[in-house]
Amino acid sequence: MDFSFSYYIGLAGIMVFAISGAVAALEHKEHHHDVFSVFFTGFITAIGGGTLRDITLGNYPVSWVKDENILWAIFLGFLLVIFFPKRLTKLRSELFLFDTLGIGIYTVLGTRIALDHGVNFFASALLGMISAIFGGVIRDTLMNEVPFIFRKEIYATACLAGAVLYLILHSFQFDGNLNLSISASVVVIIRIIAVKYNLGLPKIKIF
């Protein structure tokens, strides 16, 4: 098993996605959430995008089935929410901290995994984006909310920008770990600026 820098960064991304999903469940005022439903929401948020990516690539068994450390990372994120719900809820409301960190990390790692499977440039970028956003899409759908990709703020586009940057730097044989850090940071920065200043892409007008 690969215990490299990117591996541990990936586990960190999974944990923050689990936190994001669990906190989202706690914040949802229309439903009563018990311990299991909070855990399940965090779980599906953390593994949704990676599972779709692995299925698309024919990478079986999918990552969370193959690597138990992923499940431990999810469980750790869940425990943090159980023990520190008020603090984590406050942090999440400030620029969607955990979603932002999660999509930054997962975008780049998803792109790297796609490249490792011999996928072309464009498909690698798209799979990186899907890895980052699909867990959140499932989470929002389960809670009967409009997924972030259909809201005004820049979300999926930030992931795509980070994925493309990673691929460009990779083509110039940039150091892998440094590339990962820079590209993930770009996703995070774009997302934070978009939320803070309420930025979005131009709308398509139907005449």
Side-chain angles (χ1 to χ4, degrees), residues 30-83:
E30 294 182 7
H31 301 285
H32 171 74
H33 290 284
D34 58 24
V35 172
F36 177 78
S37 63
V38 171
F39 171 78
F40 180 76
T41 306
F43 172 77
I44 203 68
T45 304
I47 61 96
T51 298
L52 179 59
R53 178 202 64 225
D54 288 344
I55 291 173
T56 303
L57 293 171
N59 184 23
Y60 299 110
V62 295
S63 55
W64 62 271
V65 175
K66 184 165 46 180
D67 184 1
E68 68 174 277
N69 289 332
I70 291 176
L71 298 177
W72 282 115
I74 294 171
F75 188 63
L76 177 59
F78 167 70
L79 288 180
L80 289 173
V81 172
I82 294 299
F83 287 112

Side-chain angles (χ1 to χ4, degrees), residues 130-157:
I130 288 170
S131 297
I133 69 173
F134 200 74
V137 170
I138 299 174
R139 175 199 64 211
D140 292 340
T141 303
L142 287 175
M143 294 195 299
N144 200 29
E145 293 187 354
V146 178
F148 273 118
I149 59 172
F150 298 125
R151 301 180 195 179
K152 179 183 177 182
E153 296 93 353
I154 293 171
Y155 188 70
T157 310

